[in-house]
Amino acid sequence: MRDLAVRLAERAADIHRQGRERGFTVSEKSSATDLVTEVDRAAERAIVEGILAERPDDAILGEEGTDRAGTTSVRWVIDPLDGTASYVRGHPGYCVSIGIEVDGEAVIGVVVDSRGVRTEGVRGAGALRGGRPAKPSDRTDLATSVLATGFGYQPSARALQAVVASIVLPRIADIRRMGSAAWDLVAAASGEVDAYYEVGIAPWDLCAGRAIVEAAGGVVRTILQPEGDELVVASPRQLLDPLLALLGEAGLRIA
Ligand code: LIP
């Protein structure tokens, strides 16, 4: 299944590249800032066709509308183009994200980013980034840590996220914002950022990155918030408790 996910992620990354060269149509989803392109849809079609050709009995959930039940214990959770707002502007913050759950647990993840860098992980078998072993940060101090995070499509959500960031920022070294949760998660899995947190991402933004962070030896926590969204935290073990404590001080529910 990992090898199939790798082939399909590389195929989707080709579709991204061709779209950037040829141009593409763009339309709005939940808001004027929540966009979808014909490239998102073409990439999802290619991934779904590839899965059905080899594993027709698996379930599939995709951001652009695919929601197929299956008869096996396997579910594919795919974001064909994570970071669409970056893609439409030519900003590099986008990637394809293919996650595989077995019995509801994320166990395999493959992410290919706009540079063609592939990160993959299989539970219990480690993670690779660009073909080299991926390991989370060994930093022990939040005050010198760089965190990745993101902001939602709804202004009300961003208002809340801005309050959290205003409390977090003076207590850490800096923030990185690429516009793609999958990119942020694999950056956390490989120590390119020291940790990641975000409220309100979707299952397809999270699945592959979660499997990769955990395969690399990091931890992922999801905590339901009173407003109904989930806080997602991806971190090396040694930073998890101090990061959760800081997010708690910033007003988020952490248990
Ligand atoms: C994006 C996420 C990102 C989040 C954006 C958006 P999309 O997903 O990956 O972390 O901050 O608001 O949800 O819509 O580009 O697939």
Side-chain angles (χ1 to χ4, degrees), residues 127-167:
L128 296 174
R129 183 160 171 79
R132 302 159 72 96
K135 283 277 168 256
S137 166
D138 54 17
R139 199 169 287 279
T140 57
D141 177 14
L142 267 185
T144 59
S145 292
V146 172
L147 302 192
T149 192
F151 307 96
Y153 287 121
Q154 302 308 324
S156 55
R158 290 197 297 277
L160 287 175
Q161 291 161 332
V163 171
V164 171
S166 70
I167 293 163

Side-chain angles (χ1 to χ4, degrees), residues 63 79 81-84 150-153 177 179-181 198 201 205:
E63 176 171 10
D79 191 335
L81 206 177
D82 187 35
T84 305
F151 307 96
Y153 287 121
R177 171 37 170 178
S180 158
E198 186 164 356
I201 64 171
D205 297 321

Side-chain angles (χ1 to χ4, degrees), residues 175-201:
I175 276 185
R176 292 290 176 272
R177 171 37 170 178
M178 282 304 283
S180 158
W183 183 302
D184 295 337
L185 285 157
V186 298
S190 57
E192 288 178 16
V193 296
D194 298 298
Y196 162 72
Y197 78 91
E198 186 164 356
V199 175
I201 64 171

